[in-house]
Amino acid sequence: MSHAIGYFVHHQGRGHAERAAAVVNALDASCDVTLFCARTDIFPPLAANVRIQAIPSLFEPPAGHIDRPALAATRTPSTLHCAPLGWPSITSAVATITQWFATADPALFITDVSAELAQLARIASVPCVVVLQHGERSDPGHVAAYESALGILAPYAAALEQTDRPAWMLDKTHYAPGLGVPSTMPDRAEARDTLGLAHDADIVLVVSGGGGTGTPAPPLTIGARAEPDALWLTIGQIEHQWHETAPGNLRHLGWVDDPANYIAAADRIVSSAGDTTVHMIAAAGRPWIVIPEWRYFDEQVFKARALGKAGAAVALDHWPAHAAAWTDAWRRAALIDPADQRALVDATAAQGCARWLETLATHVSCEFSTPVRDAVQ
């Protein structure tokens, strides 16, 4: 059965776009899929039945925008997070989406992620699926989105679920571990050949995210200096400070096109707790230290704690400030079982998610007396 499915994709980083592409490419070709995003250049190749509708950003002021003090000072309801007044860009984005609601007769609208758009879909009488992220999400805005949703999509393993999720949320949650991330990684030797790295080198890889200011350099100088026979490589964004004194075995490579090869080539890994980063490292299976970066709602703090509780990584609350702290963290990381890490990634996550969404869409399109939750389990 043909279904019209809409999908809002946050344009920060690449993780949202990569998992959206994995899902929509796995949907039946009869589905008519529209992706709504502020950027059209961040997606992997998409199936023929998928189109991208560019919309203005919901989170950044339009070019040349000047805040009007009276509007900027207006209180924001507790059920909303990002809803500034007087932004024509948001007005335009919402109009584009609601016009699609009115003309497409959609079976589902998926949001990854915007609590406001989940509520908009409910107000517009359109069934919605909300992507769930880690963090402190018990505020009225997130709860309203989850309550409004027909289903909740968690792009991680149930083993990483937070203990504070209420039963009514879990009852309509579908877990898709490592959605959008390759479940297998390149061979270590092959990856080192590709990157021109020595096979006998002891390589520590530091993976920094792109959603903030980056990983601070001084703790890395301490760690690298304490291991003069190891090669420390960093990829991603690094925040340099005036007092750092980098040793010769620490190399900052910046943004790279093939992070999977660097992860596969590493003997040990230090990373932030971004979703794509976490699942790529879990798929590789390595001694692993995870240190959360600042994100809204403490998303990475909660994810790092979940990884530590699952025995997949050594989770630190802050960067080591002396060599002994690094030594202790590496000692604990050496005890991690790679099998526990690889169990957090499912090779069939995209296909399973697509079948779940198709079942929801079919149920919406038909008149069943069976509750939706029972129909999709």
Side-chain angles (χ1 to χ4, degrees), residues 152-207:
I152 297 174
L153 171 57
Y156 52 84
L160 297 181
E161 188 55 278
Q162 298 174 197
T163 58
D164 61 343
R165 308 291 199 199
W168 62 264
M169 278 185 63
L170 299 179
D171 284 347
K172 58 180 176 180
T173 297
H174 175 85
Y175 293 95
L179 184 62
V181 176
S183 58
T184 58
M185 298 292 285
D187 174 76
R188 186 194 313 246
E190 179 184 349
R192 292 195 178 196
D193 286 340
T194 299
L195 300 174
L197 298 171
H199 282 222
D200 60 351
D202 178 16
I203 297 178
V204 176
L205 179 69
V206 181
V207 185

Short mmCIF file of all heavy atoms in Angstrom, two decimals, residues 152-207:
data_model
loop_
_atom_site.label_atom_id
_atom_site.label_comp_id
_atom_site.label_asym_id
_atom_site.label_seq_id
_atom_site.Cartn_x
_atom_site.Cartn_y
_atom_site.Cartn_z
N ILE A 152 7.44 6.18 19.11
CA ILE A 152 8.71 6.80 19.48
C ILE A 152 9.83 5.92 18.94
O ILE A 152 9.83 4.70 19.14
CB ILE A 152 8.83 6.95 21.01
CG1 ILE A 152 7.75 7.90 21.53
CG2 ILE A 152 10.22 7.45 21.39
CD1 ILE A 152 7.71 8.01 23.05
N LEU A 153 10.77 6.54 18.24
CA LEU A 153 11.89 5.83 17.64
C LEU A 153 13.17 6.14 18.42
O LEU A 153 13.60 7.29 18.49
CB LEU A 153 12.06 6.24 16.18
CG LEU A 153 13.32 5.76 15.46
CD1 LEU A 153 13.42 4.24 15.49
CD2 LEU A 153 13.34 6.28 14.03
N ALA A 154 13.76 5.10 19.01
CA ALA A 154 15.02 5.24 19.75
C ALA A 154 16.14 4.66 18.89
O ALA A 154 16.19 3.44 18.68
CB ALA A 154 14.94 4.51 21.09
N PRO A 155 17.07 5.48 18.38
CA PRO A 155 18.12 4.96 17.50
C PRO A 155 19.30 4.39 18.27
O PRO A 155 20.46 4.65 17.96
CB PRO A 155 18.52 6.21 16.69
CG PRO A 155 18.29 7.34 17.64
CD PRO A 155 17.11 6.94 18.48
N TYR A 156 19.00 3.61 19.30
CA TYR A 156 20.03 2.98 20.13
C TYR A 156 19.46 1.71 20.74
O TYR A 156 18.25 1.45 20.65
CB TYR A 156 20.52 3.94 21.22
CG TYR A 156 19.40 4.56 22.06
CD1 TYR A 156 18.85 3.89 23.15
CD2 TYR A 156 18.90 5.83 21.76
CE1 TYR A 156 17.84 4.44 23.91
CE2 TYR A 156 17.88 6.40 22.51
CZ TYR A 156 17.36 5.70 23.58
OH TYR A 156 16.34 6.26 24.32
N ALA A 157 20.31 0.92 21.34
CA ALA A 157 19.89 -0.35 21.91
C ALA A 157 19.08 -0.15 23.20
O ALA A 157 19.29 0.81 23.94
CB ALA A 157 21.11 -1.22 22.20
N ALA A 158 18.17 -1.08 23.46
CA ALA A 158 17.40 -1.02 24.70
C ALA A 158 18.30 -1.07 25.92
O ALA A 158 17.96 -0.54 26.99
CB ALA A 158 16.38 -2.16 24.73
N ALA A 159 19.48 -1.68 25.77
CA ALA A 159 20.43 -1.75 26.88
C ALA A 159 20.95 -0.38 27.29
O ALA A 159 21.48 -0.21 28.40
CB ALA A 159 21.62 -2.65 26.50
N LEU A 160 20.81 0.61 26.41
CA LEU A 160 21.26 1.97 26.72
C LEU A 160 20.12 2.88 27.14
O LEU A 160 20.30 4.09 27.27
CB LEU A 160 21.96 2.58 25.49
CG LEU A 160 23.24 1.90 25.01
CD1 LEU A 160 23.81 2.63 23.81
CD2 LEU A 160 24.27 1.84 26.14
N GLU A 161 18.95 2.30 27.37
CA GLU A 161 17.81 3.12 27.76
C GLU A 161 17.99 3.68 29.17
O GLU A 161 18.60 3.06 30.04
CB GLU A 161 16.51 2.32 27.66
CG GLU A 161 15.25 3.15 27.85
CD GLU A 161 15.17 4.32 26.89
OE1 GLU A 161 15.78 5.36 27.19
OE2 GLU A 161 14.50 4.19 25.85
N GLN A 162 17.44 4.87 29.37
CA GLN A 162 17.48 5.51 30.69
C GLN A 162 16.43 4.89 31.60
O GLN A 162 15.36 4.48 31.14
CB GLN A 162 17.23 7.01 30.55
CG GLN A 162 18.28 7.72 29.74
CD GLN A 162 17.97 9.18 29.48
OE1 GLN A 162 18.54 9.80 28.59
NE2 GLN A 162 17.05 9.78 30.25
N THR A 163 16.72 4.87 32.88
CA THR A 163 15.81 4.26 33.84
C THR A 163 14.63 5.16 34.18
O THR A 163 13.68 4.71 34.81
CB THR A 163 16.56 3.91 35.14
OG1 THR A 163 17.14 5.11 35.69
CG2 THR A 163 17.65 2.89 34.87
N ASP A 164 14.67 6.42 33.74
CA ASP A 164 13.61 7.36 34.11
C ASP A 164 12.49 7.43 33.07
O ASP A 164 11.57 8.23 33.21
CB ASP A 164 14.18 8.76 34.34
CG ASP A 164 14.87 9.34 33.10
OD1 ASP A 164 15.19 8.55 32.18
OD2 ASP A 164 15.08 10.56 33.06
N ARG A 165 12.53 6.61 32.03
CA ARG A 165 11.46 6.65 31.03
C ARG A 165 10.20 5.99 31.60
O ARG A 165 10.25 4.83 32.06
CB ARG A 165 11.87 5.90 29.76
CG ARG A 165 13.20 6.30 29.16
CD ARG A 165 13.22 7.68 28.57
NE ARG A 165 14.35 7.82 27.65
CZ ARG A 165 14.87 8.97 27.24
NH1 ARG A 165 14.36 10.10 27.69
NH2 ARG A 165 15.88 9.00 26.40
N PRO A 166 9.06 6.66 31.53
CA PRO A 166 7.83 6.05 32.04
C PRO A 166 7.35 4.91 31.16
O PRO A 166 7.69 4.83 29.97
CB PRO A 166 6.83 7.22 32.04
CG PRO A 166 7.37 8.18 31.05
CD PRO A 166 8.86 8.04 31.09
N ALA A 167 6.54 4.05 31.72
CA ALA A 167 6.08 2.86 31.01
C ALA A 167 5.30 3.21 29.75
O ALA A 167 5.42 2.52 28.73
CB ALA A 167 5.22 2.00 31.94
N TRP A 168 4.50 4.27 29.78
CA TRP A 168 3.70 4.60 28.61
C TRP A 168 4.58 5.00 27.43
O TRP A 168 4.21 4.79 26.27
CB TRP A 168 2.69 5.70 28.92
CG TRP A 168 3.27 7.03 29.35
CD1 TRP A 168 3.44 7.48 30.62
CD2 TRP A 168 3.75 8.08 28.49
NE1 TRP A 168 4.00 8.74 30.62
CE2 TRP A 168 4.19 9.13 29.32
CE3 TRP A 168 3.84 8.23 27.11
CZ2 TRP A 168 4.73 10.32 28.81
CZ3 TRP A 168 4.38 9.42 26.61
CH2 TRP A 168 4.81 10.45 27.45
N MET A 169 5.76 5.55 27.71
CA MET A 169 6.70 5.85 26.63
C MET A 169 7.33 4.58 26.08
O MET A 169 7.41 4.38 24.86
CB MET A 169 7.81 6.80 27.14
CG MET A 169 7.45 8.26 27.16
SD MET A 169 8.87 9.29 27.64
CE MET A 169 10.01 8.97 26.28
N LEU A 170 7.79 3.73 26.97
CA LEU A 170 8.45 2.50 26.54
C LEU A 170 7.51 1.62 25.74
O LEU A 170 7.94 0.90 24.82
CB LEU A 170 8.98 1.74 27.76
CG LEU A 170 10.02 2.48 28.61
CD1 LEU A 170 10.44 1.62 29.79
CD2 LEU A 170 11.23 2.87 27.78
N ASP A 171 6.22 1.66 26.07
CA ASP A 171 5.24 0.81 25.38
C ASP A 171 5.13 1.15 23.89
O ASP A 171 4.75 0.28 23.09
CB ASP A 171 3.86 0.96 26.02
CG ASP A 171 3.75 0.20 27.34
OD1 ASP A 171 4.64 -0.62 27.61
OD2 ASP A 171 2.77 0.43 28.07
N LYS A 172 5.44 2.37 23.51
CA LYS A 172 5.33 2.73 22.09
C LYS A 172 6.69 3.07 21.48
O LYS A 172 6.76 3.74 20.44
CB LYS A 172 4.35 3.87 21.89
CG LYS A 172 4.64 5.17 22.63
CD LYS A 172 3.54 6.20 22.31
CE LYS A 172 3.71 7.49 23.08
NZ LYS A 172 2.64 8.48 22.75
N THR A 173 7.77 2.58 22.10
CA THR A 173 9.12 2.85 21.62
C THR A 173 9.65 1.68 20.81
O THR A 173 9.56 0.52 21.23
CB THR A 173 10.07 3.14 22.80
OG1 THR A 173 9.64 4.33 23.48
CG2 THR A 173 11.50 3.36 22.30
N HIS A 174 10.22 2.00 19.65
CA HIS A 174 10.91 1.01 18.82
C HIS A 174 12.40 1.30 18.89
O HIS A 174 12.84 2.42 18.62
CB HIS A 174 10.43 1.08 17.37
CG HIS A 174 11.19 0.17 16.45
ND1 HIS A 174 10.86 -1.16 16.29
CD2 HIS A 174 12.27 0.40 15.66
CE1 HIS A 174 11.70 -1.71 15.43
NE2 HIS A 174 12.57 -0.79 15.04
N TYR A 175 13.21 0.28 19.23
CA TYR A 175 14.66 0.44 19.32
C TYR A 175 15.32 0.02 18.02
O TYR A 175 15.04 -1.06 17.48
CB TYR A 175 15.21 -0.37 20.50
CG TYR A 175 14.74 0.16 21.83
CD1 TYR A 175 13.63 -0.37 22.47
CD2 TYR A 175 15.39 1.23 22.44
CE1 TYR A 175 13.17 0.13 23.68
CE2 TYR A 175 14.95 1.74 23.65
CZ TYR A 175 13.84 1.19 24.26
OH TYR A 175 13.40 1.70 25.45
N ALA A 176 16.18 0.88 17.52
CA ALA A 176 16.91 0.63 16.27
C ALA A 176 18.39 0.89 16.53
O ALA A 176 18.90 1.97 16.21
CB ALA A 176 16.38 1.51 15.15
N PRO A 177 19.10 -0.08 17.12
CA PRO A 177 20.47 0.14 17.60
C PRO A 177 21.46 0.49 16.48
O PRO A 177 21.65 -0.27 15.54
CB PRO A 177 20.84 -1.20 18.23
CG PRO A 177 19.54 -1.86 18.55
CD PRO A 177 18.62 -1.43 17.46
N GLY A 178 22.04 1.68 16.57
CA GLY A 178 23.03 2.09 15.58
C GLY A 178 22.44 2.47 14.25
O GLY A 178 23.10 2.34 13.21
N LEU A 179 21.22 2.95 14.24
CA LEU A 179 20.53 3.30 13.00
C LEU A 179 21.36 4.30 12.19
O LEU A 179 21.74 5.36 12.68
CB LEU A 179 19.16 3.89 13.32
CG LEU A 179 18.25 4.25 12.16
CD1 LEU A 179 17.90 3.01 11.36
CD2 LEU A 179 16.99 4.92 12.68
N GLY A 180 21.65 3.95 10.93
CA GLY A 180 22.39 4.83 10.05
C GLY A 180 23.89 4.69 10.12
O GLY A 180 24.62 5.37 9.40
N VAL A 181 24.38 3.79 10.99
CA VAL A 181 25.82 3.58 11.16
C VAL A 181 26.16 2.17 10.66
O VAL A 181 25.46 1.22 10.98
CB VAL A 181 26.24 3.72 12.64
CG1 VAL A 181 27.71 3.41 12.83
CG2 VAL A 181 25.92 5.13 13.13
N PRO A 182 27.24 2.01 9.87
CA PRO A 182 27.61 0.66 9.42
C PRO A 182 27.83 -0.28 10.61
O PRO A 182 28.47 0.10 11.60
CB PRO A 182 28.93 0.90 8.66
CG PRO A 182 28.89 2.32 8.26
CD PRO A 182 28.15 3.04 9.36
N SER A 183 27.29 -1.47 10.52
CA SER A 183 27.40 -2.42 11.64
C SER A 183 28.74 -3.12 11.67
O SER A 183 29.12 -3.73 12.67
CB SER A 183 26.27 -3.46 11.56
OG SER A 183 26.33 -4.16 10.34
N THR A 184 29.48 -3.05 10.58
CA THR A 184 30.83 -3.61 10.53
C THR A 184 31.81 -2.52 10.13
O THR A 184 31.46 -1.61 9.37
CB THR A 184 30.92 -4.78 9.53
OG1 THR A 184 30.55 -4.31 8.23
CG2 THR A 184 30.01 -5.92 9.95
N MET A 185 33.01 -2.62 10.65
CA MET A 185 34.04 -1.62 10.38
C MET A 185 35.16 -2.23 9.56
O MET A 185 35.31 -3.46 9.51
CB MET A 185 34.58 -1.09 11.71
CG MET A 185 33.53 -0.38 12.55
SD MET A 185 32.98 1.18 11.82
CE MET A 185 34.40 2.21 12.17
N PRO A 186 35.97 -1.39 8.91
CA PRO A 186 37.09 -1.92 8.14
C PRO A 186 38.06 -2.71 9.03
O PRO A 186 38.13 -2.51 10.25
CB PRO A 186 37.77 -0.66 7.58
CG PRO A 186 36.71 0.39 7.62
CD PRO A 186 35.86 0.07 8.81
N ASP A 187 38.82 -3.61 8.43
CA ASP A 187 39.86 -4.34 9.14
C ASP A 187 40.95 -3.36 9.58
O ASP A 187 41.28 -2.41 8.86
CB ASP A 187 40.44 -5.40 8.19
CG ASP A 187 41.63 -6.11 8.77
OD1 ASP A 187 41.44 -6.97 9.65
OD2 ASP A 187 42.77 -5.78 8.35
N ARG A 188 41.53 -3.61 10.76
CA ARG A 188 42.54 -2.70 11.31
C ARG A 188 43.74 -2.54 10.36
O ARG A 188 44.17 -1.42 10.07
CB ARG A 188 43.01 -3.20 12.68
CG ARG A 188 43.95 -2.22 13.38
CD ARG A 188 44.67 -2.88 14.56
NE ARG A 188 43.77 -3.63 15.41
CZ ARG A 188 43.46 -3.33 16.67
NH1 ARG A 188 43.98 -2.25 17.22
NH2 ARG A 188 42.67 -4.11 17.37
N ALA A 189 44.28 -3.66 9.89
CA ALA A 189 45.45 -3.59 9.03
C ALA A 189 45.12 -2.87 7.72
O ALA A 189 45.90 -2.04 7.23
CB ALA A 189 45.98 -5.00 8.75
N GLU A 190 43.96 -3.19 7.16
CA GLU A 190 43.54 -2.54 5.92
C GLU A 190 43.37 -1.04 6.12
O GLU A 190 43.77 -0.23 5.27
CB GLU A 190 42.23 -3.17 5.44
CG GLU A 190 41.68 -2.56 4.16
CD GLU A 190 40.33 -3.16 3.79
OE1 GLU A 190 39.95 -4.18 4.39
OE2 GLU A 190 39.68 -2.60 2.88
N ALA A 191 42.77 -0.66 7.26
CA ALA A 191 42.57 0.76 7.55
C ALA A 191 43.91 1.48 7.69
O ALA A 191 44.08 2.61 7.21
CB ALA A 191 41.75 0.92 8.83
N ARG A 192 44.88 0.83 8.34
CA ARG A 192 46.19 1.47 8.50
C ARG A 192 46.90 1.60 7.15
O ARG A 192 47.59 2.61 6.90
CB ARG A 192 47.04 0.68 9.49
CG ARG A 192 46.50 0.77 10.92
CD ARG A 192 47.50 0.31 11.95
NE ARG A 192 46.95 0.46 13.30
CZ ARG A 192 47.66 0.43 14.41
NH1 ARG A 192 48.97 0.24 14.35
NH2 ARG A 192 47.08 0.58 15.58
N ASP A 193 46.74 0.63 6.30
CA ASP A 193 47.32 0.74 4.97
C ASP A 193 46.71 1.92 4.21
O ASP A 193 47.41 2.70 3.55
CB ASP A 193 47.10 -0.55 4.17
CG ASP A 193 48.00 -1.69 4.64
OD1 ASP A 193 49.03 -1.40 5.28
OD2 ASP A 193 47.65 -2.86 4.38
N THR A 194 45.40 2.04 4.31
CA THR A 194 44.69 3.13 3.62
C THR A 194 45.16 4.49 4.10
O THR A 194 45.31 5.44 3.31
CB THR A 194 43.18 3.00 3.84
OG1 THR A 194 42.73 1.75 3.31
CG2 THR A 194 42.41 4.14 3.18
N LEU A 195 45.42 4.60 5.41
CA LEU A 195 45.80 5.89 6.01
C LEU A 195 47.30 6.11 6.06
O LEU A 195 47.75 7.18 6.49
CB LEU A 195 45.22 5.98 7.43
CG LEU A 195 43.69 5.89 7.53
CD1 LEU A 195 43.26 5.83 8.99
CD2 LEU A 195 43.03 7.08 6.82
N GLY A 196 48.06 5.11 5.66
CA GLY A 196 49.51 5.24 5.71
C GLY A 196 50.07 5.21 7.11
O GLY A 196 51.08 5.87 7.40
N LEU A 197 49.46 4.44 8.00
CA LEU A 197 49.91 4.33 9.39
C LEU A 197 50.64 3.01 9.60
O LEU A 197 50.25 1.98 9.05
CB LEU A 197 48.71 4.43 10.34
CG LEU A 197 47.92 5.74 10.30
CD1 LEU A 197 46.64 5.62 11.12
CD2 LEU A 197 48.77 6.90 10.80
N ALA A 198 51.67 3.04 10.42
CA ALA A 198 52.48 1.85 10.67
C ALA A 198 51.66 0.78 11.36
O ALA A 198 50.88 1.06 12.28
CB ALA A 198 53.70 2.21 11.51
N HIS A 199 51.85 -0.47 10.97
CA HIS A 199 51.11 -1.58 11.55
C HIS A 199 51.49 -1.82 13.01
O HIS A 199 50.67 -2.32 13.79
CB HIS A 199 51.34 -2.86 10.74
CG HIS A 199 50.55 -2.91 9.48
ND1 HIS A 199 49.92 -4.05 9.04
CD2 HIS A 199 50.27 -1.96 8.55
CE1 HIS A 199 49.29 -3.81 7.89
NE2 HIS A 199 49.51 -2.54 7.58
N ASP A 200 52.73 -1.48 13.39
CA ASP A 200 53.18 -1.77 14.75
C ASP A 200 53.03 -0.57 15.69
O ASP A 200 53.47 -0.64 16.84
CB ASP A 200 54.63 -2.24 14.74
CG ASP A 200 55.58 -1.20 14.16
OD1 ASP A 200 55.09 -0.19 13.59
OD2 ASP A 200 56.82 -1.39 14.26
N ALA A 201 52.42 0.50 15.25
CA ALA A 201 52.25 1.68 16.10
C ALA A 201 51.14 1.46 17.12
O ALA A 201 50.15 0.79 16.84
CB ALA A 201 51.94 2.91 15.26
N ASP A 202 51.33 2.00 18.31
CA ASP A 202 50.28 2.01 19.34
C ASP A 202 49.52 3.32 19.15
O ASP A 202 50.03 4.40 19.49
CB ASP A 202 50.91 1.94 20.73
CG ASP A 202 49.87 2.00 21.84
OD1 ASP A 202 48.67 1.80 21.55
OD2 ASP A 202 50.25 2.28 23.00
N ILE A 203 48.33 3.23 18.59
CA ILE A 203 47.60 4.44 18.16
C ILE A 203 46.41 4.71 19.08
O ILE A 203 45.54 3.85 19.27
CB ILE A 203 47.12 4.30 16.71
CG1 ILE A 203 48.33 4.18 15.77
CG2 ILE A 203 46.25 5.50 16.31
CD1 ILE A 203 47.96 3.99 14.32
N VAL A 204 46.41 5.90 19.64
CA VAL A 204 45.28 6.41 20.41
C VAL A 204 44.56 7.43 19.53
O VAL A 204 45.17 8.39 19.06
CB VAL A 204 45.73 7.07 21.72
CG1 VAL A 204 44.52 7.68 22.44
CG2 VAL A 204 46.43 6.06 22.61
N LEU A 205 43.28 7.22 19.30
CA LEU A 205 42.48 8.15 18.49
C LEU A 205 41.54 8.93 19.39
O LEU A 205 40.82 8.35 20.21
CB LEU A 205 41.67 7.39 17.44
CG LEU A 205 40.79 8.27 16.55
CD1 LEU A 205 41.63 9.12 15.61
CD2 LEU A 205 39.79 7.41 15.77
N VAL A 206 41.52 10.24 19.20
CA VAL A 206 40.57 11.12 19.90
C VAL A 206 39.57 11.63 18.88
O VAL A 206 39.95 12.27 17.90
CB VAL A 206 41.30 12.29 20.58
CG1 VAL A 206 40.29 13.18 21.32
CG2 VAL A 206 42.37 11.78 21.54
N VAL A 207 38.30 11.33 19.09
CA VAL A 207 37.24 11.73 18.17
C VAL A 207 36.43 12.85 18.81
O VAL A 207 35.79 12.65 19.84
CB VAL A 207 36.32 10.55 17.82
CG1 VAL A 207 35.30 10.97 16.76
CG2 VAL A 207 37.13 9.35 17.34
#
